[in-house]
Amino acid sequence: NTKHPFTQIQITDKGLEELAKIAEHTREHIGWEIPISTDHYGHFDLNNAIRLGKAVEKYRLAWLEDMISWEYTEQWRTISDALETPTTTGEDIYLLQNFKPLIDNRSVDIVHPDLASSGGLLETKKIGDYAEEHGVAMAMHQAGTPVSFMANVHCAAATQNFLALEHHSVDLPWWEDLVKTTDDNPIIRKGFAIVPNSPGLGIELNEDVIKEHLHPN
């Protein structure tokens, strides 16, 4: 539970090589047409964040996510200024007022709210709009149900600086079956979400499938 600046964990040169190999192997498998990004690094400080960022810079990542804790606004600015790869944080931040220091200070290139915990659909739209006014892009964190997913899709579609929506359930074959779209389109087609043209979120609950996957308690 020690905070990032106080761990003094150092990444060795061998460690940097191993981490860079992950980016290299991913590039080799999917090519250069598809964006890739990185997340979940461990608790090291801003100096090691910069060292790692420089080690993977040649692979042109879409972003480096949550390298240090989001509240270290000035340290994020130091990292962003040192690297060419875009930086992002924000999935744990609640409300626009708490995103403002990162945006006003130009600490990151991309803000990364989670609509389900950042304040909801309208508040996340406000976060995106405020970031846009300051030349900052927005990706969106999402690890929920199709209901949460579709709320994100509507918010993203209405936000000019939106880049990409995170999705954690691609390996659950029943996930999309939890709802039915009201315009008969699939929720996702070839990696892209389809914005519904029907009222509301454009979905109805499939109660039979939901009951099948309820927690026993």
Side-chain angles (χ1 to χ4, degrees), residues 7-199:
T7 64
Q8 277 303 300
I9 291 171
Q10 300 293 317
I11 308 176
T12 64
D13 288 344
K14 180 180 179 181
L16 287 175
E17 290 175 6
E18 291 299 318
L19 291 167
K21 283 179 183 177
I22 297 172
E24 181 181 14
H25 291 166
T26 306
R27 272 281 173 242
E28 288 175 352
H29 279 84
I30 71 170
W32 291 83
E33 298 297 318
I34 298 174
I36 60 175
S37 58
T38 62
D39 187 16
H40 294 289
Y41 307 97
H43 284 215
F44 49 72
D45 63 5
L46 74 91
N47 300 294
N48 284 278
I50 292 171
R51 291 176 64 227
L52 175 56
K54 289 182 176 179
V56 298
E57 206 141 61
K58 64 182 178 181
Y59 303 110
R60 304 311 302 162
L61 303 180
W63 63 68
L64 301 159
E65 178 184 336
D66 291 339
M67 302 191 82
I68 60 172
S69 296
W70 65 266
E71 64 267 25
Y72 297 123
T73 305
E74 294 298 330
Q75 293 190 28
W76 269 111
R77 175 67 185 266
T78 300
I79 294 170
S80 296
D81 285 347
L83 301 175
E84 295 179 7
T85 304
T87 56
T88 186
T89 192
E91 67 183 65
D92 297 318
I93 301 177
Y94 176 54
L95 300 179
L96 169 59
Q97 66 190 52
N98 295 311
F99 275 91
K100 283 185 175 181
L102 284 168
I103 297 169
D104 292 341
N105 196 48
R106 196 57 169 78
S107 294
V108 291
D109 302 286
I110 305 164
V111 291
H112 192 223
D114 186 314
L115 183 145
S117 58
S118 62
L121 204 158
L122 181 57
E123 187 72 10
T124 306
K125 175 73 168 71
K126 291 178 180 178
I127 293 166
D129 289 347
Y130 188 83
E132 180 192 352
E133 292 173 4
H134 293 75
V136 176
M138 181 175 73
M140 299 171 74
H141 181 270
Q142 192 280 142
T145 68
V147 178
S148 173
F149 181 86
M150 292 310 298
N152 276 272
V153 168
H154 282 277
C155 182
T159 308
Q160 180 65 33
N161 58 339
F162 167 74
L163 294 176
L165 173 61
E166 202 163 342
H167 179 38
H168 285 252
S169 300
V170 290
D171 56 347
L172 291 178
W174 47 266
W175 182 86
E176 290 192 35
D177 297 332
L178 292 172
V179 299
K180 296 173 285 187
T181 59
T182 51
D183 59 4
D184 295 325
N185 280 315
I187 294 178
I188 301 170
R189 180 185 291 145
K190 295 183 178 180
F192 288 86
I194 299 173
V195 182
N197 56 18
S198 51

